[in-house]
């Protein structure tokens, strides 16, 4: 049987959902990718067995359901030292220039479960900049914020990203003669029996 092409909800119906968010909450998804937003709304309709009008009515009458819709719409993708080139530039090219600053302020907007925030915290600590840095992390999804606060992640999922840690923390791509001996255990506690990777509390 041929697979039917994916059909997104009509633009006018998506507008109803956007308007409902503005009317019944402080959330505004107007600048969200149209296709991504439509795909996520479509999934919510299927998962909950709702039409657009029923979805909007339920959002209007049930604040807890509205918050659930927000959690289902938002993307919570993050990894430790994701995008190696970016973190190498941060560590070796950008942050060293800020050492003379009295105060450094960094905001991770949409921090999800916090792995990239901890990546930044590790680099700041390694460069001796932690004490002068105010590091703020925020997300509209309260569930992922709590996970970020805990700093405990699934080891098997993050195991491959420990290679990224090595490539960023131990090797300077701008000066290959510079090699740093920074073991994983300086920042992580790994327990394979419980499948957990825990960031050290001082971070």
């Amino acid at each position: 049987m041929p697979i039917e092409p994916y059909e997104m909800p009509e633009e006018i119906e998506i507008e109803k959902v956007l308007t409902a968010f503005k009317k019944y909450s402080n959330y505004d998804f107007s600048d969200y990718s149209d296709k991504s937003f439509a795909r996520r709304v479509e999934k919510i309709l299927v998962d909950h067995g709702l039409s657009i009008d029923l979805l909007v009515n339920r959002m209007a009458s049930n604040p807890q359901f509205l918050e659930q819709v927000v959690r289902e719409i938002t993307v919570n993708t993050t990894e430790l030292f994701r995008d190696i080139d970016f973190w190498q530039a941060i560590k070796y090219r950008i942050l060293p220039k800020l050492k003379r600053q009295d105060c450094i302020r960094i905001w991770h907007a949409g921090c999800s479960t916090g792995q990239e925030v901890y990546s930044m915290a590790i680099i700041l600590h390694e460069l001796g900049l932690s004490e002068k840095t105010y590091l703020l992390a925020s997300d509209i999804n309260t569930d992922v914020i709590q996970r970020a606060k805990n700093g405990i992640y699934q080891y098997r999922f993050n195991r491959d990203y420990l290679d990224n840690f090595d490539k960023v923390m131990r090797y300077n791509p701008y000066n290959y003669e510079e090699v740093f001996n920074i073991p994983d255990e300086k920042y992580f506690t790994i327990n394979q029996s419980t499948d957990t990777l825990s960031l050290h509390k001082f971070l």
Side-chain angles (χ1 to χ4, degrees):
M1 179 180 293
I3 299 174
E4 294 184 6
Y6 171 78
E7 293 185 9
M8 292 189 298
E10 294 292 333
E11 184 176 338
I12 190 169
E13 292 191 323
I14 290 300
E15 191 63 37
K16 289 181 182 179
V17 182
L18 291 170
T19 301
F21 273 117
K22 292 179 184 178
K23 186 174 181 180
Y24 304 116
S25 74
N26 293 321
Y27 301 116
D28 184 353
F29 288 95
S30 300
D31 292 328
Y32 208 91
S33 163
D34 292 342
K35 290 184 178 179
S36 294
F37 188 81
R39 279 195 294 268
R40 285 170 176 78
V41 169
E42 175 74 8
K43 186 175 187 307
I44 290 168
L45 297 179
V46 172
D47 290 348
H48 295 276
L50 299 171
S51 65
I52 287 285
D53 288 336
L54 286 173
L55 173 64
V56 169
N57 290 339
R58 195 167 171 188
M59 288 169 63
S61 61
N62 188 335
Q64 289 77 25
F65 177 72
L66 189 147
E67 290 293 333
Q68 181 180 343
V69 172
V70 170
R71 290 194 293 271
E72 293 182 20
I73 284 177
T74 51
V75 178
N76 300 307
T77 301
T78 182
E79 293 95 21
L80 289 164
F81 294 98
R82 178 173 64 169
D83 190 347
I84 294 169
D85 293 342
F86 168 81
W87 289 109
Q88 288 174 333
I90 286 285
K91 183 176 188 288
Y92 298 103
R93 288 286 177 89
I94 296 173
L95 288 179
K97 294 179 180 179
L98 303 180
K99 287 189 174 183
R100 295 182 180 179
Q101 298 289 329
D102 294 330
C103 179
I104 302 169
R105 296 177 184 271
I106 301 172
W107 178 20
H108 288 262
C111 70
S112 187
T113 48
Q115 284 95 315
E116 290 174 71
V117 183
Y118 286 114
S119 301
M120 180 67 78
I122 289 170
I123 290 176
L124 289 166
H125 184 266
E126 205 59 40
L127 295 177
L129 297 174
S130 296
E131 295 300 319
K132 64 164 64 180
T133 301
Y134 179 71
L135 190 59
L136 173 67
S138 63
D139 200 286
I140 62 174
N141 186 327
T142 54
D143 289 347
V144 296
I145 282 288
Q146 188 56 54
R147 289 184 60 195
K149 286 181 179 180
N150 293 337
I152 300 173
Y153 305 104
Q154 184 182 29
Y155 168 65
R156 279 179 296 178
F157 175 80
N158 288 280
R159 179 171 50 198
D160 292 341
Y161 295 105
L162 292 178
D163 290 338
N164 291 8
F165 170 89
D166 288 344
K167 290 172 183 175
V168 173
M169 301 305 296
R170 296 179 178 176
Y171 305 103
N172 183 350
Y174 310 107
N175 180 3
Y176 287 108
E177 294 181 0
E178 237 180 359
V179 179
F180 305 93
N181 181 22
I182 305 173
D184 299 344
E185 55 267 25
K186 184 175 181 179
Y187 296 104
F188 311 109
T189 298
I190 295 170
N191 188 327
Q192 295 190 38
S193 63
T194 59
D195 192 26
T196 55
L197 181 151
S198 305
L199 276 298
H200 290 179
K201 291 296 181 183
F202 74 88
L203 291 172

